[in-house]
Amino acid sequence: MKSIRLLILLLMLSPMILKSAPQIKKAIKANLIKSGQVANYQDGKHYIIAIPPNETESFGWNDSAIEVYIASAFDTNLEIDIFGNKKTAFLKANEVYVLNEQNGLMKENCECRLPNIALPKTIEITADQNITVHVINSKSTTSDGYMAIPVEWWGNEYLHCSYYDNYESNTNTFSGGFLVLGSQDNTNVEVELRGIADDPDATLRGNTSKKIGDVLTFKVDRAEVYQIDSDGMTRGQIDLSGSKITSDKPVGVISYHQRTVIPIFLNSSRDHLSSMMQPTPALSTNYASISLERGGKKKGDLFRIVAVEANTNYTATWYDFETKQIIDTKSGLISKAGEFVDISDDLSGNPTIYSITGTSVFEADKPILLMQYSYSGGWDGTEYDPFMWNVTGMDQYTNNAIVQAPYNKTFGENYINIIANEISGDPTLPGIKSIEIDNIKVVDRVPSFTTNNIPGTTLYWARIRIAPGIHRIYSNGDALFGAYVYGYKSVDSYGWPAVMASHETSSTDSLAPSISYVQNSIPYLWQVLIEDNRQMDRVGNEKQQLDSKIAYGPITLIKNQYGLNTENFKEPLIDFEWGDELHDKYIVDLEVENPYEYAKAYFYVADIAGNVAFDSLEYHPFKLNMNNVEEVDFGGVLIEQRKTKTFTFENKSTFDCEISSISLFKGELFNIISDNIPSYLNVGESLEIEIEYAPTEISDNDTDSIIVTAANLSFAWEIKGYGIDNKERIELSSNEIDFGTIYVNDEKSQTLSINNTGQEILKINSIELANGSIFELLNSKPFPMTLGSGKSLYFELVYKPTVASDLDIDTVVVKTDTNTYKCVLRASAEPDLGVYDNENVDDIIKLSPNPISTDADITITMPEAGNVRVSLYTSTGKLVKELYNSFAAIGDFSFRFNSEGIAAGSYSLIIEQADMKYVKQIVVSK
């Protein structure tokens, strides 16, 4: 048996489901991910791309030019080689690196325009994590692009598919052709020219000796490109589609048309075509699609079927979007390998002809290549011009994809078409409902998604308008999808597949791995067992595992991946390293980060053949409530006595569980007196436990913790109490009250509480302040007062200063029969200088001399008769001396101020008259 390597990406974690102990519920069963249906081959670590020719060689001033979009689900380093010029870059997860003229991609020399010669005109991109790459070539009126296929998934056989040559004039000869890209040096390539040639003398451009039916051989080296196209000298007569490309080493193939109109004989609305082709072993027998959004027009799209093998029978059936009734069915036989049939096959642009519209299903008895084309705008009266893409076979659908719409803002109208397959068989469509784009469920954006069924299938479709830039599509259930991105600007368009798997469907093992779980004795630790499931062919041989194509990388826990969010799991523990010999089994240890919180884990497991399985685990922690947490305080208990409380614990989990133990952390003053442990609790049931408290001495705070163990988790609640004797116990609300600083004549109050914390009735004989205290005690009840156990009395203390003071202090004294309790009061007062009128002070007060050594004359001008008070204050607002306080008439009056006994310094002379106050600064100098 061949050995394999499994690439495991843990995309999202979330805890697991419990029954009687934390247990697992499998949210997605791996065996429902059917063989070959989940293969995300559209990303890789190595790309070689080239730019096919678009229209004429020159670029106009308003052209959008050439851009390469690189994106990844991971942070990754990039190495980029542009025609031999190397550069490096760093790409952040879920962002886009745009390679364009601003960082080294010169549009004037990018396109391949020299056929029949191998040239190193490629761009090589390597990364240390998987990336996706999209290429757009946009000129002023002609654009298209393609999704690049990683070198890892290139093959050795291809079919080319484009469209008829479009001769417009001798200077405008536009043809269809293809580019062959080399992945290794000295690669031998053979091309069997096939297709339609109404002109028997039709030749290749630059190679007049080769015609349809001939065989070309050439060599390419690594990162070289070889170009083949027809001469473009006819219109609607030459088409190289169906040409077969084979090689002895893997190559890439890009099909293109320089500029064409569809149908070919329509006389307007030309556009560029390009698409990177899948190897023929990756082609399918069953396809489905929906018609493009074209401004509400319903004439449909062109589909081209190319036979891989001779004598291929096909059937195409399409249905009305709304009625789901059959519009038409076409069947036929393609007798030769490489021949093609177009539906509709009308080339004239007849406005009465309709092509495939609505939903469509294509079936064949042998693999076919199916190409979908946008018609020219002139065909249905729109401004939307041609583009083409490879339709993805149903057995190449995936469940995750990173897709891109061009960052070029001129493409203001962008869409994504999704065709999804509900593989669960569940009529409620859980898989369809689980599909998200940019973290929003598609059914929330397109409610009709679950009713948009393609008749006779388990396929459902949705069309969504999207913004430029990166988008992520993800199925978190039993659904797989194909998708396509396209968009328009004025007389211009582009389109490419969002899912284009390239693995071989006929001989490659396409059976997804399986995932199983073994729960450790610790209920939040699991061993995840990943096993390969091998697939046999019809004669009993094991199918190819693609051992040469190993996806290297450590097992990681990826956050915000494909719309998922990881929570509450540790980084997985692994007992192996990538690079070891290949194995059939892997065991990964997975542990919940916080076992008290919910967690969930999603697994993305891919074997080296690219088969992918999704699975998930849920962890629900045990939840235990104490229903009477407000009673954890036993309060005061007399020494040598006991107090008992009952505590109730309730199972608030979603599963039954055993309470294995209940204990106390200390177990000294508190004791468990119940005897009903262990105890089994069903969901919602409760358990009562009695605990007693027996203090042995007076204490302020005795504590312990109740510890309950269940489901290997421990829960703790603190309990407390204090021991008391028969003596009185008083607690004042504070031993010191600070009123802070207030203005003179303002008022501030504080509350003093007296609390009886003892067991006996307390008698308070008095509460007093010192005689003449600046503080005031407000009390309307007479003493003595009685105060019951656990009760409190409240008294209001008031501070109302009349003069400024640096510190006022007093003590409240509480007296009982046996004790005295004290609370210190502190406060300070400052003058309210804010009311003084200093603007007119020099007109009111005249002082001579100033500074003063002994005496000074003070003259005051009275604006009106009345009482006047003159006072001297320190700079801190403390009254030094009242100098005058008497009636004064209107006009001037004077008096002498003697500074004897007053220390040298700065002072404030304050005059108060009626409602006005004035202050004059004076200096005493001795």
Side-chain angles (χ1 to χ4, degrees):
M1 175 180 288
K2 294 183 180 179
S3 56
I4 65 162
R5 173 171 282 115
L6 298 177
L7 174 62
I8 305 158
L9 301 180
L10 289 147
L11 299 183
M12 166 175 151
L13 292 175
S14 55
M16 320 197 177
I17 251 171
L18 305 168
K19 279 193 177 181
S20 75
Q23 296 179 4
I24 304 161
K25 178 181 179 181
K26 299 189 70 179
I28 304 172
K29 292 183 173 63
N31 61 8
L32 291 179
I33 307 295
K34 297 184 178 179
S35 300
Q37 290 186 320
V38 185
N40 191 358
Y41 282 78
Q42 63 263 31
D43 55 7
K45 297 178 181 177
H46 183 202
Y47 287 81
I48 298 174
I49 60 175
I51 313 299
N54 176 1
E55 195 187 31
T56 58
E57 189 168 355
S58 62
F59 283 77
W61 67 270
N62 62 338
D63 292 340
S64 304
I66 297 167
E67 292 183 326
V68 179
Y69 307 121
I70 307 170
S72 178
F74 320 99
D75 289 350
T76 185
N77 295 299
L78 301 176
E79 292 185 3
I80 304 171
D81 187 331
I82 307 172
F83 313 147
N85 297 315
K86 297 182 179 180
K87 61 179 296 180
T88 60
F90 178 74
L91 174 63
K92 288 184 64 64
N94 301 318
E95 294 185 1
V96 178
Y97 180 85
V98 181
L99 184 62
N100 54 21
E101 284 190 290
Q102 281 68 49
N103 49 25
L105 189 65
M106 302 305 294
K107 63 185 180 183
E108 286 78 9
N109 63 354
C110 282
E111 294 177 321
C112 296
R113 290 187 176 271
L114 291 175
N116 313 311
I117 183 172
L119 296 171
K121 201 164 187 177
T122 62
I123 300 168
E124 187 168 10
I125 305 166
T126 57
D128 50 22
Q129 297 287 348
N130 278 9
I131 59 176
T132 61
V133 175
H134 295 75
V135 181
I136 192 164
N137 186 346
S138 179
K139 296 190 177 180
S140 57
T141 59
T142 56
S143 299
D144 201 6
Y146 63 88
M147 167 182 267
I149 297 176
V151 173
E152 294 96 313
W153 309 118
W154 286 5
N156 300 84
E157 180 182 298
Y158 292 85
L159 293 179
H160 159 65
C161 187
S162 179
Y163 198 61
Y164 292 96
D165 279 14
N166 178 31
Y167 175 82
E168 296 182 4
S169 68
N170 288 337
T171 58
N172 291 328
T173 57
F174 302 122
S175 60
F178 53 93
L179 307 178
V180 179
L181 309 174
S183 66
Q184 300 178 39
D185 288 344
N186 200 30
T187 299
N188 295 296
V189 182
E190 180 179 285
V191 175
E192 180 184 345
L193 293 174
R194 299 169 173 172
I196 292 175
D198 292 344
D199 180 357
D201 295 325
T203 62
L204 298 182
R205 190 187 301 270
N207 189 348
T208 58
S209 64
K210 295 297 182 181
K211 301 175 176 58
I212 288 179
D214 292 341
V215 173
L216 285 82
T217 59
F218 54 86
K219 291 180 180 289
V220 289
D221 287 336
R222 173 191 171 100
E224 283 190 338
V225 57
Y226 194 96
Q227 179 180 0
I228 295 175
D229 62 0
S230 48
D231 60 16
M233 297 304 295
T234 63
R235 185 174 186 185
Q237 299 181 42
I238 307 299
D239 192 335
L240 297 180
S241 292
S243 293
K244 182 180 179 181
I245 303 101
T246 57
S247 60
D248 61 353
K249 298 172 185 176
V251 295
V253 173
I254 302 170
S255 292
Y256 67 86
H257 198 295
Q258 288 179 274
R259 170 178 168 176
T260 190
V261 59
I262 301 178
I264 189 61
F265 293 119
L266 192 70
N267 290 319
S268 63
S269 308
R270 302 156 183 84
D271 211 341
H272 178 52
L273 307 177
S274 66
S275 188
M276 194 160 191
M277 309 305 291
Q278 298 166 279
T280 54
L283 299 177
S284 302
T285 59
N286 295 279
Y287 296 84
S289 189
I290 66 172
S291 57
L292 302 169
E293 169 57 47
R294 293 178 62 85
K297 301 293 184 179
K298 298 181 179 180
K299 290 188 66 175
D301 310 319
L302 170 65
F303 286 81
R304 172 170 287 186
I305 300 171
V306 186
V308 177
E309 302 175 24
N311 299 315
T312 297
N313 292 284
Y314 70 89
T315 300
T317 306
W318 56 104
Y319 306 85
D320 186 88
F321 274 140
E322 298 175 358
T323 67
K324 298 183 175 61
Q325 298 299 309
I326 292 178
I327 297 174
D328 202 353
T329 298
K330 286 195 176 184
S331 300
L333 172 68
I334 303 177
S335 59
K336 294 182 180 180
E339 285 190 344
F340 61 85
V341 60
D342 287 347
I343 308 174
S344 162
D345 55 357
D346 176 74
L347 304 180
S348 67
N350 186 334
T352 65
I353 298 295
Y354 277 67
S355 190
I356 292 183
T357 186
T359 62
S360 53
V361 176
F362 299 82
E363 299 173 290
D365 59 356
K366 297 175 183 178
I368 58 174
L369 185 158
L370 183 66
M371 191 73 77
Q372 183 171 356
Y373 300 80
S374 167
Y375 276 104
S376 293
W379 188 68
D380 59 0
T382 67
E383 292 186 347
Y384 306 143
D385 283 349
F387 58 83
M388 68 179 185
W389 63 47
N390 320 59
V391 181
T392 302
M394 293 183 195
D395 55 359
Q396 300 279 26
Y397 285 3
T398 187
N399 50 18
N400 63 87
I402 294 180
V403 302
Q404 297 190 58
Y407 268 67
N408 181 344
K409 297 299 190 295
T410 61
F411 287 102
E413 189 176 350
N414 300 278
Y415 298 92
I416 184 165
N417 289 355
I418 301 173
I419 299 97
N421 189 8
E422 176 66 55
I423 63 175
S424 69
D426 188 335
T428 65
L429 307 179
I432 299 298
K433 294 174 182 176
S434 77
I435 297 176
E436 299 179 2
I437 180 168
D438 299 333
N439 299 324
I440 301 174
K441 290 187 181 299
V442 173
V443 291
D444 292 338
R445 298 184 65 170
V446 184
S448 61
F449 190 22
T450 54
T451 59
N452 289 346
N453 175 241
I454 300 179
T457 73
T458 55
L459 302 174
Y460 294 79
W461 64 272
R463 181 190 290 136
I464 302 171
R465 187 161 180 174
I466 58 175
I470 188 172
H471 300 273
R472 295 174 296 166
I473 314 176
Y474 173 77
S475 167
N476 186 26
D478 297 333
L480 306 166
F481 59 83
Y484 310 89
V485 176
Y486 58 102
Y488 307 106
K489 61 179 179 177
S490 178
V491 299
D492 212 353
S493 59
Y494 77 94
W496 49 56
V499 176
M500 190 170 62
S502 300
H503 72 83
E504 186 176 344
T505 59
S506 58
S507 63
T508 303
D509 176 19
S510 57
L511 195 61
S514 62
I515 305 171
S516 59
Y517 310 91
V518 177
Q519 190 161 16
N520 194 284
S521 58
I522 300 174
Y524 40 85
L525 178 64
W526 290 263
Q527 285 188 329
V528 183
L529 175 62
I530 300 136
E531 296 183 273
D532 179 41
N533 293 317
R534 299 305 175 82
Q535 190 173 24
M536 303 297 172
D537 61 21
R538 287 175 294 180
V539 295
N541 295 320
E542 186 178 282
K543 287 191 175 183
Q544 184 184 3
Q545 267 283 332
L546 301 177
D547 287 341
S548 63
K549 296 180 178 179
I550 296 170
Y552 290 95
I555 292 180
T556 55
L557 193 64
I558 303 171
K559 298 186 178 182
N560 300 318
Q561 172 68 11
Y562 301 117
L564 303 177
N565 294 292
T566 298
E567 57 172 306
N568 200 20
F569 266 88
K570 295 181 181 179
E571 192 79 16
L573 303 175
I574 57 177
D575 58 359
F576 60 89
E577 292 183 1
W578 299 108
D580 294 346
E581 62 178 276
L582 303 177
H583 300 288
D584 295 313
K585 297 181 182 179
Y586 287 108
I587 295 177
V588 179
D589 290 335
L590 186 64
E591 184 176 0
V592 174
E593 183 82 39
N594 179 359
Y596 295 91
E597 299 295 334
Y598 169 84
K600 193 172 184 179
Y602 281 91
F603 299 92
Y604 169 78
V605 182
D607 65 20
I608 62 173
N611 307 304
V612 180
F614 266 87
D615 211 340
S616 66
L617 296 176
E618 286 186 299
Y619 166 75
H620 289 267
F622 181 71
K623 295 291 185 182
L624 187 68
N625 276 16
M626 179 191 280
N627 289 346
N628 48 343
V629 292
E630 70 281 357
E631 298 180 11
V632 296
D633 190 350
F634 283 74
V637 177
L638 291 174
I639 298 170
E640 306 301 337
Q641 294 191 16
R642 299 174 183 274
K643 186 175 182 179
T644 301
K645 279 183 172 288
T646 300
F647 296 94
T648 303
F649 301 95
E650 182 181 359
N651 180 359
K652 301 292 286 185
S653 305
T654 57
F655 54 91
D656 306 335
C657 191
E658 182 182 71
I659 306 294
S660 56
S661 69
I662 297 183
S663 60
L664 294 170
F665 180 69
K666 297 177 182 176
E668 298 170 350
L669 303 178
F670 297 87
N671 297 288
I672 298 174
I673 59 177
S674 299
D675 190 21
N676 52 353
I677 301 301
S679 180
Y680 197 85
L681 285 186
N682 294 322
V683 175
E685 286 186 342
S686 298
L687 172 68
E688 291 186 347
I689 298 295
E690 288 189 332
I691 296 179
E692 68 174 15
Y693 169 51
T696 58
E697 59 185 21
I698 298 172
S699 63
D700 291 328
N701 188 25
D702 291 330
T703 62
D704 207 333
S705 294
I706 306 172
I707 301 174
V708 182
T709 302
N712 282 45
L713 300 176
S714 295
F715 305 86
W717 290 270
E718 186 184 56
I719 52 178
K720 60 184 179 179
Y722 58 88
I724 60 175
D725 57 16
N726 287 324
K727 296 179 181 179
E728 73 177 28
R729 291 174 61 87
I730 288 183
E731 289 183 359
L732 301 182
S733 59
S734 178
N735 294 323
E736 181 177 315
I737 297 176
D738 190 347
F739 286 77
T741 300
I742 67 173
Y743 289 118
V744 171
N745 296 322
D746 280 354
E747 181 178 307
K748 188 174 183 181
S749 62
Q750 299 273 25
T751 299
L752 174 70
S753 66
I754 302 173
N755 311 300
N756 182 1
T757 59
Q759 296 294 306
E760 305 295 330
I761 296 175
L762 174 68
K763 184 173 75 171
I764 300 175
N765 294 322
S766 66
I767 301 178
E768 299 175 346
L769 291 166
N771 291 333
S773 173
I774 191 66
F775 300 94
E776 182 181 359
L777 175 66
L778 302 182
N779 175 37
S780 60
K781 296 181 180 180
F783 290 101
M785 297 179 179
T786 59
L787 185 61
S789 174
K791 304 297 182 181
S792 300
L793 289 174
Y794 301 93
F795 297 90
E796 186 177 4
L797 297 164
V798 178
Y799 174 58
K800 187 176 181 180
T802 58
V803 296
S805 172
D806 291 334
L807 177 64
D808 287 324
I809 190 168
D810 204 345
T811 302
V812 179
V813 180
V814 180
K815 294 183 179 180
T816 67
D817 288 340
T818 57
N819 285 300
T820 298
Y821 306 89
K822 297 180 179 180
C823 175
V824 176
L825 308 179
R826 299 178 185 276
S828 61
E830 61 182 22
D832 188 0
L833 300 178
V835 301
Y836 294 173
D837 181 359
N838 289 326
E839 182 178 350
N840 301 314
V841 66
D842 291 334
D843 296 333
I844 301 298
I845 305 172
K846 294 181 178 58
L847 177 67
S848 180
N850 187 14
I852 304 169
S853 58
T854 53
D855 294 342
D857 292 323
I858 298 174
T859 300
I860 297 175
T861 301
M862 293 290 292
E864 60 182 54
N867 194 73
V868 62
R869 180 172 181 260
V870 183
S871 306
L872 186 68
Y873 286 86
T874 65
S875 60
T876 61
K878 186 175 182 180
L879 179 65
V880 177
K881 185 177 183 180
E882 186 176 81
L883 305 182
Y884 186 88
N885 191 350
S886 185
F887 180 84
I890 295 176
D892 294 343
F893 76 92
S894 302
F895 61 91
R896 180 170 288 275
F897 164 50
N898 186 279
S899 64
E900 183 179 354
I902 297 175
S906 297
Y907 294 86
S908 296
L909 188 67
I910 296 177
I911 293 87
E912 300 174 74
Q913 196 271 327
D915 294 331
M916 298 301 296
K917 295 182 181 180
Y918 308 91
V919 60
K920 182 81 170 182
Q921 300 300 319
I922 66 174
V923 176
V924 175
S925 175
K926 296 186 177 181

